[in-house]
Amino acid sequence: MEKSVLFVDDDPHILSALRRMLMASGCVWDLTFAGGGREALEILEGRPHDVIVSDMRMPGMTGAELLEKVRSLYPETVRIVLSGHTELETAMRLVPIAHNYIAKPCDSETIIRLVQRACDMHDRLNNEELKQRIGKIGGLPNLSTTYHELVRLLSDPDAALDEVVKIIERDVGMVANILHLVNTAFYAPKQRITKINQAVSYIGITVLKSLFLSAEAFRAFEGKIPAEFSLEEFQNHGMEVGSEAAEMMGTQRERDDAFLAGMLHDVGKLVLLTEHPDQYQEVLRRAESGQSSCVETEREIWQVTHADVGGYILGLWFLPYTIVEAVTYHHNPPAPMAEGLDVTTAVYRANERVNSRKDRAEEYTGAKE
């Protein structure tokens, strides 16, 4: 079934160019064009669309305001930002409500591939059968109020480190987790870091957000993990995949996203393990013996994999689309968007490399897939 796509831009020349470019490319979508946010909402009220692609800087109603309304009124619609290069980084920071981003200028092939990729991802995670199957697996953990408070503070570019430290220090468990992660071999500090203010200063705000979310995600399962499963080895595996994936990327933002996605790529395993420990021990036993991979056995038992479950839970936690996509596809990535690597492909390759190292695969229970 063809997708209905609504393009929104206050510049009629851009809309005309988009129409000509897409029609010339043989695009089979049902295309609609709107000259602003209010017109777009009127169109959607008459007929909801599968996808909306909106410019950011528009008079009357900005792209951010429009997509916020679309998320509220039409949550099933895939939301994509179409923005100039100079605005794109700002758009990516300020619009967590968007599923993906397209930089102007762009060609028809880029638009078609990115929109289709976003649709495939959205359809996969919003599949009713997937939701029902994950619902049968068991309850998904929620993140703490401390996490949400810290995220709000870290979103402020002028946030002071001492304010960040004050929030973290309220949570003894979080302090322990962050200090543990910072002192691993992957960060290799010259001397052991024992104070949280030192840790924050050492790693910086951006990496702290990744470490904090990773620690919080793992902590959500504490007390449920079977004694024979090493959460420390699990975290170290994620750290290694994240570090290796980050090294493959070009921009700082891509490195940050790859690091966090790598650290969290197997979080779905924790859901399956804590809700069905006996069955998941069998999954791990089969993987270790070479009888079948974790993914194959998971699909046999639950009809979904830990990658599906992980992507779903991170989507519920409102993580950026890039992270959710990388976790969901870390075993079977779609084709990269352009020459070189994207975050999803980097996490996939890093995970493959880490799992192929015989000494590492032997240490990490269930890592080899």
Side-chain angles (χ1 to χ4, degrees):
M1 182 176 177
E2 68 178 11
K3 296 290 184 181
S4 55
V5 184
L6 172 60
F7 287 89
V8 188
D9 199 300
D10 64 301
D11 188 335
H13 299 293
I14 291 179
L15 291 181
S16 295
L18 282 169
R19 186 195 302 269
R20 290 194 303 271
M21 182 173 64
L22 291 170
M23 292 184 68
S25 71
C27 173
V28 296
W29 299 331
D30 178 5
L31 300 173
T32 309
F33 300 87
R38 298 192 186 282
E39 182 183 350
L41 291 175
E42 290 175 2
I43 292 172
L44 291 172
E45 185 178 0
R47 179 171 70 95
H49 283 55
D50 295 306
V51 185
I52 182 170
V53 182
S54 177
D55 186 31
M56 280 292 294
R57 188 176 297 176
M58 298 185 294
M61 182 184 298
T62 67
E65 293 169 334
L66 171 60
L67 294 182
E68 181 65 63
K69 290 181 181 294
V70 172
R71 182 175 71 168
S72 175
L73 297 171
Y74 311 101
E76 295 302 311
T77 297
V78 176
R79 303 173 299 275
I80 298 177
V81 166
L82 178 62
S83 180
H85 283 305
T86 57
E87 297 179 325
L88 191 59
E89 282 301 312
T90 300
M92 293 172 75
R93 288 195 301 269
L94 298 181
V95 193
I97 52 174
H99 291 102
N100 220 324
Y101 308 87
I102 303 174
K104 295 178 183 177
C106 56
D107 55 31
S108 58
E109 182 181 353
T110 298
I111 294 177
I112 291 171
R113 289 183 63 195
L114 194 148
V115 170
Q116 188 59 56
R117 181 164 165 170
C119 287
D120 291 345
M121 177 67 181
H122 191 260
D123 291 346
R124 176 170 176 168
L125 293 185
N126 282 276
N127 180 281
E128 286 303 318
E129 183 177 357
L130 173 63
K131 292 179 181 178
Q132 291 174 11
R133 292 196 180 280
I134 290 178
K136 291 177 182 177
I137 290 171
L140 298 177
N142 294 315
L143 299 182
S144 70
T145 55
T146 304
Y147 167 74
H148 292 295
E149 186 177 355
L150 185 64
V151 167
R152 283 195 296 272
L153 179 61
L154 292 177
S155 65
D156 180 0
D158 298 322
L161 288 182
D162 59 341
E163 295 180 68
V164 175
V165 170
K166 286 179 182 178
I167 292 178
I168 296 175
E169 283 180 334
R170 294 188 219 151
D171 193 320
V172 176
M174 197 60 64
V175 169
N177 279 330
I178 290 177
L179 289 176
H180 167 74
L181 290 172
V182 170
N183 282 291
T184 62
F186 304 108
Y187 268 91
K190 292 182 179 179
Q191 58 184 13
R192 184 168 181 79
I193 296 175
T194 59
K195 295 181 180 179
I196 194 64
N197 61 335
Q198 293 176 323
V200 172
S201 298
Y202 184 76
I203 64 179
I205 292 291
T206 301
V207 176
L208 175 67
K209 291 169 73 173
S210 296
L211 289 175
F212 189 89
L213 176 57
S214 176
E216 174 73 355
F218 295 141
R219 185 184 177 207
F221 298 95
E222 284 182 350
K224 294 183 175 182
I225 300 292
E228 59 269 27
F229 186 87
S230 172
L231 188 58
E232 180 178 356
E233 289 181 8
F234 186 90
Q235 289 175 291
N236 286 342
H237 172 74
M239 178 77 80
E240 187 170 359
V241 171
S243 298
E244 188 150 334
E247 290 178 1
M248 301 181 195
M249 306 312 300
T251 69
Q252 185 59 52
R253 181 181 182 83
E254 290 172 331
R255 289 193 289 272
D256 293 341
D257 285 349
F259 179 65
L260 179 55
M263 290 184 71
L264 295 177
H265 73 283
D266 274 341
V267 69
K269 284 186 176 182
L270 297 183
V271 177
L272 297 171
L273 179 65
T274 56
E275 294 299 326
H276 298 280
D278 293 338
Q279 285 177 295
Y280 209 77
Q281 289 295 336
E282 175 63 15
V283 171
L284 297 178
R285 187 194 66 76
R286 290 192 191 182
E288 290 169 354
S289 66
Q291 185 176 350
S292 62
S293 70
C294 285
V295 168
E296 291 170 338
T297 310
E298 290 163 356
R299 191 173 284 117
E300 176 187 328
I301 297 174
W302 295 288
Q303 289 75 57
V304 296
T305 72
H306 68 273
D308 297 316
V309 177
Y312 187 74
I313 189 174
L314 296 184
L316 293 180
W317 287 348
F318 298 106
L319 263 69
Y321 175 89
T322 303
I323 308 298
V324 175
E325 183 186 51
V327 170
T328 303
Y329 289 113
H330 74 266
H331 287 296
N332 58 334
M337 287 304 307
E339 292 185 9
L341 290 178
D342 56 16
V343 172
T344 299
T345 307
V347 172
Y348 162 75
R349 291 187 180 179
N351 190 45
E352 289 288 295
R353 290 177 186 177
V354 171
N355 287 334
S356 68
R357 295 171 190 154
K358 185 174 185 296
D359 58 334
R360 186 62 181 169
E362 290 176 345
E363 291 176 12
Y364 169 53
T365 304
K368 190 170 185 177
E369 305 168 12

